[in-house]
Amino acid sequence: MNENRNKIELLHQNYLQSLKIEKRWVRFYQLIILAFVFASWELLSRMQWIDPLIFSSPNKIWKLFFEKIQDGSLAANLGVTLTETVASFIIATALGVIIAALLWWSPMLSNILDPYLVIFNAMPKVALGPVIIVALSPGYTSIIANGVIICVIITAIVVYTSFKEVDPNYLKVLQTFGATRFQCFKEAIIPASFPTIISTLKVNVGLSWVGVIVGEFLVSSRGLGYMIIYGFQVFNFTLVFLSLFVIAVLATVMYQLVDLLEKKLIKE
Amino acid sequence: MSFLKVQDVHHTYFTKALRTTALSNINLTVEEGEFVSLLGPSGCGKTTLLSIISSLLKPTEGAVLLENKPVATTKNTIGYMLQQDYLFPWKTIEENILLGLKLAKQLNPKTRSNALNLLKQMGLNGGVEKQLPKQLSGGMRQRVALVRTLATEPKLLMLDEPFSALDYQTKLKLEDLVSQTLKDFGKTAILVTHDIGEAIAMSDRVFLLSSRPGTIHKTFEIPEELRKLSPFEARNHFLYSSVFQAIWKELETLERKSE
Ligand SMILES: Nc1ncnc2c1ncn2[C@@H]1O[C@H](COP(=O)(O)OP(=O)(O)O)[C@@H](O)[C@H]1O
Ligand SMILES: [Mg+2]
């Protein structure tokens, strides 16, 4: 009996050990790929096998990175873009939930708006960028609006669908206690849809980056999107690559943060 | 003057494809303090009738009067426990049982301690109130749901197949507990069930429903001797099996008619 338990204990230990080893190998190969890509990029560029003017090189990008940190321009542009992105995905999520609430509140309204939502959702929203910038005048507002418009409708549709899928018997319980429609919304609809709302937040982090970067392309005065466009115009592709790396890192960090938030909130 | 009066109720559900007449020509009265059962096969309209009595559903025809007033005008006087517990999974047990009081803005220290006491009376103590519904067994959840329904002190209590999802032993125990609690509070109650034994053991009267459309086929008065006993004792009384036989025979004739 005891012996048997020891044996199972041992097997479990072995299993955990093997998982650990496997994970280490995965990490190892990931680092190898990274090192290989950067090393060959550097090499190819130095040997002039690829055009260093277009493809730059890791070393040049790294040097530029320090230059831009020292003159403070990277921090300034990064701050601008970060603020715009965070603002736009929070506004988009909030606005999407509010629209979903209105649609849930009035089935009539939801029937009336249905075709417009479909059209608006199908439309490539970045195409609206020039119109938004002209309407709101170039600047923060129009860039944030560009980010918002990309995610708001899909958020509204996804959240509204989850509102509708809440088990009607929960509403019935509330109605037996004489609950008003607002009380039903607060006590059942919102808490039941909370996981969906958090997961749209996650999708919106990615989408709002697209909107904000495109907005900065168009407005072309500040931000990481502006750095890309500027680098492109003056044929400084080291600057373009630097901006791309910074964006990749920031977007990943932001996504992971929201992911962490989701795990924390859903567990409770 | 009866406590509850259901008058000529008729209900048809309309959908795009079809119309289903769920109830037809329902007339019944329930006296104050009485415990009655609605017995009938699945789909005969029992849940529909409870929804109409609780004014969640407006009947296509007919009226329901509670103490001579239309039910739609009497807020929070009817407690309705659904077929499953439907405890809110994100609320603690305490938040769940206080929900009715909160919605009716009657939550104060007194009603709150009443509700928590009721939970103890149902045999749920030892920190259960801070737990989440998923940490409780089916029988415990059902008791919590009953406490939630009773916490607002409804005058009439309706139970829709409250024991159908439980194992047999838990079910017998809960029958006794519910029966005793309702007697202690002098509540009027309507129980919906498809279990003949449960209907006999718990009620003063049994309405037998026939299906398609649901109508009251026959009413059985349960003998005084059985009413005095707890449900568990009643099941072992010699009169129990004769009432069982009588109801069984009626069900058979109903089945033959529908074939
Ligand atoms: N919302 C609804 N729409 C259409 N038909 C319904 C609806 N609810 C119930 N019915 C129909 O009405 C009949 C009675 O249903 P119900 O009252 O739930 O029966 P029971 O509770 O006795 O099982 C069934 O035939 C069912 O299909
Ligand atoms: Mg039913």
Side-chain angles (χ1 to χ4, degrees):
Chain A
M1 185 67 199
N2 220 347
E3 201 174 297
N4 211 357
R5 185 149 7 108
N6 277 339
K7 200 169 145 194
I8 289 178
E9 178 74 16
L10 196 71
L11 284 174
H12 191 210
Q13 290 291 330
N14 285 346
Y15 172 70
L16 291 180
Q17 191 64 31
S18 72
L19 281 186
K20 229 189 223 163
I21 291 172
E22 186 179 314
K23 202 172 167 191
R24 261 184 224 157
W25 276 112
V26 170
R27 282 271 176 276
F28 175 72
Y29 283 122
Q30 285 169 342
L31 285 176
I32 289 277
I33 291 176
L34 197 68
F36 178 75
V37 168
F38 279 100
S40 43
W41 184 2
E42 185 70 40
L43 185 76
L44 290 174
S45 173
R46 284 201 186 178
M47 309 296 272
Q48 307 260 340
W49 288 342
I50 54 174
D51 186 349
L53 218 51
I54 294 175
F55 292 101
S56 185
S57 80
N59 191 31
K60 280 195 213 157
I61 296 170
W62 190 244
K63 275 190 191 139
L64 187 69
F65 176 61
F66 280 104
E67 241 170 70
K68 292 278 172 195
I69 283 183
Q70 266 154 13
D71 72 7
S73 66
L74 184 63
N77 285 316
L78 189 152
V80 167
T81 305
L82 204 60
T83 317
E84 287 162 350
T85 310
V86 170
S88 82
F89 91 78
I90 289 174
I91 292 172
T93 312
L95 205 62
V97 172
I98 291 170
I99 293 173
L102 290 176
L103 294 176
W104 177 83
W105 195 272
S106 162
M108 181 77 170
L109 182 70
S110 117
N111 284 337
I112 294 171
L113 293 186
D114 184 61
Y116 298 106
L117 287 177
V118 171
I119 293 170
F120 202 67
N121 187 41
M123 171 133 188
K125 262 90 47 190
V126 280
L128 293 172
V131 180
I132 292 171
I133 285 161
V134 170
L136 298 178
S137 79
Y140 282 123
T141 328
S142 56
I143 293 173
I144 292 172
N146 212 37
V148 168
I149 209 142
I150 282 195
C151 9
V152 71
I153 297 301
I154 188 69
T155 304
I157 291 175
V158 169
V159 173
Y160 173 58
T161 309
S162 109
F163 282 175
K164 276 197 302 187
E165 276 166 5
V166 174
D167 189 332
N169 283 309
Y170 285 120
L171 299 180
K172 198 170 169 183
V173 169
L174 293 171
Q175 280 159 3
T176 65
F177 292 124
T180 59
R181 202 160 164 77
F182 178 72
Q183 284 173 324
C184 287
F185 185 70
K186 186 169 146 251
E187 300 290 341
I189 301 292
I190 281 283
S193 310
F194 196 62
T196 311
I197 294 173
I198 297 292
S199 69
T200 60
L201 205 59
K202 219 157 111 181
V203 176
N204 289 347
V205 170
L207 286 177
S208 55
W209 272 104
V210 178
V212 165
I213 295 296
V214 170
E216 286 178 349
F217 282 179
L218 295 172
V219 173
S220 219
S221 69
R222 259 175 309 190
L224 297 169
Y226 162 68
M227 276 166 66
I228 292 176
I229 271 297
Y230 176 77
F232 170 68
Q233 283 163 353
V234 302
F235 225 75
N236 179 355
F237 278 88
T238 311
L239 187 60
V240 173
F241 277 111
L242 174 64
S243 314
L244 286 179
F245 280 124
V246 172
I247 289 172
V249 170
L250 279 184
T252 310
V253 168
M254 213 187 254
Y255 184 84
Q256 295 293 347
L257 282 180
V258 177
D259 194 44
L260 210 70
L261 181 82
E262 176 178 18
K263 284 203 181 106
K264 206 152 201 190
L265 288 175
I266 304 290
K267 213 175 16 181
E268 273 158 20
Chain B
M1 181 188 112
S2 294
F3 181 65
L4 175 78
K5 224 181 204 162
V6 178
Q7 290 176 323
D8 304 314
V9 163
H10 182 102
H11 191 76
T12 306
Y13 285 107
F14 296 104
T15 55
K16 235 184 239 168
L18 72 170
R19 37 176 197 255
T20 319
T21 299
L23 293 171
S24 150
N25 197 24
I26 301 282
N27 280 289
L28 62 85
T29 58
V30 180
E31 303 304 323
E32 187 147 19
E34 212 184 358
F35 194 119
V36 303
S37 289
L38 301 172
L39 179 66
S42 268
C44 74
K46 304 183 296 291
T47 301
T48 306
L49 183 53
L50 291 195
S51 300
I52 289 173
I53 293 175
S54 63
S55 81
L56 293 179
L57 190 67
K58 199 176 170 320
T60 28
E61 272 174 49
V64 180
L65 304 176
L66 187 75
E67 298 183 306
N68 276 343
K69 281 176 280 185
V71 275
T73 64
T74 59
K75 231 186 165 189
N76 277 317
T77 46
I78 298 181
Y80 182 2
M81 196 168 128
L82 304 194
Q83 218 154 329
Q84 286 161 41
D85 57 68
Y86 285 108
L87 297 178
F88 290 82
W90 52 84
K91 287 181 188 289
T92 63
I93 300 304
E94 178 173 345
E95 287 166 345
N96 265 295
I97 61 172
L98 298 179
L99 182 63
L101 293 168
K102 183 178 156 196
L103 293 175
K105 304 206 163 53
Q106 289 171 354
L107 191 58
N108 54 48
K110 188 168 161 286
T111 53
R112 188 189 137 95
S113 79
N114 278 349
L116 288 169
N117 276 336
L118 200 54
L119 198 64
K120 287 208 185 86
Q121 277 176 44
M122 288 280 169
L124 294 165
N125 32 25
V128 170
E129 65 272 14
K130 296 287 172 242
Q131 292 186 317
L132 289 175
K134 64 170 181 242
Q135 294 170 279
L136 271 53
S137 71
M140 289 163 96
R141 294 169 59 121
Q142 208 64 25
R143 277 180 278 168
V144 174
L146 184 64
V147 172
R148 176 171 71 181
T149 316
L150 286 174
T152 51
E153 305 196 346
K155 287 182 180 163
L156 171 67
L157 186 70
M158 302 196 296
L159 308 166
D160 194 349
E161 305 190 14
F163 313 120
S164 58
L166 304 175
D167 61 87
Y168 196 63
Q169 206 183 353
T170 312
K171 167 186 151 116
L172 291 183
K173 278 189 192 153
L174 267 193
E175 279 180 12
D176 275 16
L177 185 66
V178 169
S179 171
Q180 191 56 48
T181 313
L182 296 190
K183 235 173 229 161
D184 289 349
F185 288 102
K187 291 280 186 236
T188 312
I190 302 177
L191 171 78
V192 158
T193 180
H194 52 238
D195 178 342
I196 306 172
E198 187 173 293
I200 300 169
M202 296 198 68
S203 341
D204 302 324
R205 267 190 304 157
V206 176
F207 297 105
L208 182 63
L209 300 188
S210 63
S211 23
R212 271 161 248 282
T215 49
I216 295 183
H217 177 70
K218 202 166 173 177
T219 310
F220 294 88
E221 294 274 346
I222 303 300
E224 187 60 36
E225 290 92 323
L226 291 180
R227 288 193 216 175
K228 278 187 309 203
L229 300 175
S230 75
F232 188 79
E233 291 165 336
R235 281 177 190 267
N236 294 311
H237 196 273
F238 74 97
L239 274 176
Y240 171 87
S241 48
S242 63
V243 181
F244 195 102
Q245 292 300 332
I247 295 181
W248 181 262
K249 236 165 72 197
E250 270 317 313
L251 277 171
E252 296 252 281
T253 57
L254 266 183
E255 241 169 61
R256 228 170 292 137
K257 236 190 264 168
S258 66
E259 266 163 24

